[in-house]
């Protein structure tokens, strides 16, 4: 579909353009999700159920760290004492479909961003497009870093705590398949999106809603919000919350640096325009 010039496009033209970008992004997710559907054994046995196994790399790492520091060896486990069950007729098939779709979204994320960028970039000035050339690469890198953090840190922390917690020896943990997958999926997707904070701050600074001074002024309030957020996406123990809080605080400080960089760039551009 031949594109009109941005300034000549009506509101309905913009909606039509957006519709085609969404269609192409959806097709990419479906195609990649189809590949994930075929690779069922790898997706479920190796990835989804990886944090359920006692020899998962995260448990072995924390076990070694605990032994080195002489701390509690609760992560030195051979097997997690719970079973996963499906209690509905279509439970396993439904889990297979939706897990494939979410896998398609995660793996096709760079292309989804590319379509998003193609939609908004015509509305930017040439110098703004130049300054944001690395948008897709950086945003995708941050997203995948968040996904890996969620999978290798948040998921095993949550599963190890919640699946082994007992109110009484009389109660056995037989975890529903959907509940287990939801825990892994929520950990992975939420961390992937949280790691996009520097990108969000970049655009908020560009449009004037956020400044470095604002971010520094409300740093303490942000710390409280981060702690609350960490408590939501992690099990209720201090160690897990600290592990999650550290990278989020680092991202916040990086966002301040990015915001300061954007302000400086805008000041240079304004100065250059005044000289002309």
């Amino acid at each position: 579909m031949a594109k009109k010039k941005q300034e000549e496009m009506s509101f309905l033209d913009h909606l039509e353009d957006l519709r085609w970008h969404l269609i192409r992004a959806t097709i990419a997710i479906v195609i990649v999700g189809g590949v994930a559907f075929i690779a069922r054994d790898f997706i479920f046995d190796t990835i989804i159920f990886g944090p359920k196994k006692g020899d998962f790399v995260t448990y072995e790492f924390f076990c070694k760290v605990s032994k080195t520091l002489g701390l509690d060896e609760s992560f030195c486990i051979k097997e997690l004492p719970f079973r996963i069950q499906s209690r509905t007729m279509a439970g396993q098939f439904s889990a297979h479909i939706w897990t494939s779709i979410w896998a398609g979204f995660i793996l096709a994320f760079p292309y989804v961003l590319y379509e998003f960028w193609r939609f908004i970039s015509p509305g930017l000035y040439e110098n703004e497009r130049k300054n944001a050339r690395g948008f897709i690469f950086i945003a995708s890198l941050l997203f995948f870093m968040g996904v890996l953090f969620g999978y290798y840190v948040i998921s095993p922390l949550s599963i190890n705590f919640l699946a082994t917690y007992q109110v009484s020896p009389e109660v056995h943990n037989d975890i529903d398949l959907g509940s287990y997958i939801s825990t892994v999926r929520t950990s992975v997707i939420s961390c992937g999106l949280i790691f996009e904070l520097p990108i969000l701050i970049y655009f908020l600074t560009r449009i004037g809603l956020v400044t470095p001074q604002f971010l520094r002024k409300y740093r303490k309030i942000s710390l409280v919000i981060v702690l609350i957020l960490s408590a939501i996406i992690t099990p209720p123990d201090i160690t897990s919350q600290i592990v999650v809080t550290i990278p989020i605080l680092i991202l916040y400080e990086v966002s301040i640096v990015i915001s300061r960089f954007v302000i400086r760039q805008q000041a240079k551009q304004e100065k250059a325009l005044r000289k002309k």
Side-chain angles (χ1 to χ4, degrees):
M1 183 180 66
K3 286 193 175 184
K4 300 178 181 180
K5 290 185 179 179
Q6 188 75 10
E7 60 270 16
E8 297 176 355
M9 294 177 68
S10 66
F11 176 72
L12 292 179
D13 290 329
H14 282 294
L15 288 181
E16 177 67 12
D17 191 37
L18 175 61
R19 184 172 75 92
W20 280 104
H21 287 297
L22 292 175
I23 289 174
R24 285 190 289 269
T26 302
I27 290 173
I29 292 172
V30 171
I31 291 174
V32 179
V35 176
F37 185 88
I38 296 172
R40 179 188 61 185
D41 293 342
F42 175 75
I43 293 294
F44 280 90
D45 295 339
T46 303
I47 297 179
I48 299 296
F49 297 134
K52 180 185 179 296
K53 301 173 183 176
D55 60 352
F56 190 62
V57 60
T58 303
Y59 301 137
E60 292 185 344
F61 173 77
F62 278 110
C63 179
K64 291 179 181 178
V65 172
S66 298
K67 288 181 178 179
T68 301
L69 300 178
L71 302 176
D72 179 30
E73 298 182 4
S74 59
F75 281 96
C76 300
I77 53 180
K78 294 182 179 180
E79 184 180 0
L80 291 172
F82 72 94
R83 297 182 308 172
I84 297 176
Q85 61 179 346
S86 178
R87 297 179 299 161
T88 58
M89 185 66 72
Q92 295 195 53
F93 180 73
S94 178
H96 190 188
I97 292 291
W98 282 107
T99 299
S100 299
I101 292 174
W102 280 109
F105 170 76
I106 293 172
L107 296 175
F109 186 77
Y111 183 79
V112 174
L113 275 181
Y114 171 70
E115 288 295 339
F116 171 73
W117 176 249
R118 285 183 62 193
F119 176 70
I120 66 171
S121 60
L124 302 177
Y125 293 110
E126 183 63 29
N127 61 330
E128 290 177 327
R129 286 198 291 269
K130 289 180 179 179
N131 291 333
R133 277 177 178 172
F135 164 72
I136 296 174
F137 173 77
I138 295 174
S140 299
L141 178 63
L142 288 171
F143 178 77
F144 287 127
M145 287 173 61
V147 166
L148 292 175
F149 181 78
Y151 178 71
Y152 284 106
V153 179
I154 305 301
S155 290
L157 286 175
S158 300
I159 291 170
N160 181 63
F161 177 84
L162 297 175
T164 59
Y165 186 84
Q166 284 187 302
V167 294
S168 169
E170 298 295 324
V171 182
H172 299 281
N173 285 330
D174 290 328
I175 311 299
D176 187 70
L177 176 62
S179 177
Y180 176 87
I181 293 177
S182 176
T183 299
V184 177
R185 181 182 64 239
T186 301
S187 301
V188 168
I189 299 295
S190 61
C191 285
L193 296 178
I194 288 172
F195 271 57
E196 295 292 334
L197 178 62
I199 300 296
L200 176 63
I201 294 298
Y202 174 86
F203 283 104
L204 290 178
T205 305
R206 295 290 303 180
I207 62 179
L209 292 179
V210 169
T211 64
Q213 294 77 17
F214 175 86
L215 294 174
R216 284 194 291 265
K217 179 179 179 181
Y218 293 99
R219 183 185 273 116
K220 293 182 179 179
I221 297 177
S222 301
L223 175 60
V224 175
I225 295 174
V226 166
L227 291 173
I228 294 174
L229 185 63
S230 300
I232 292 173
I233 66 175
T234 60
D237 64 278
I238 299 300
T239 303
S240 301
Q241 292 179 19
I242 291 175
V243 169
V244 175
T245 299
I246 291 174
I248 297 179
L249 289 178
I250 292 174
L251 286 171
Y252 187 84
E253 295 301 323
V254 170
S255 299
I256 294 177
V257 175
I258 291 174
S259 181
R260 187 164 60 242
F261 171 77
V262 172
I263 295 297
R264 288 177 179 175
Q265 289 296 108
Q266 289 178 335
K268 288 180 181 179
Q269 292 171 4
E270 292 176 0
K271 187 177 180 180
L273 289 174
R274 284 197 295 267
K275 288 182 178 180
K276 292 182 179 181

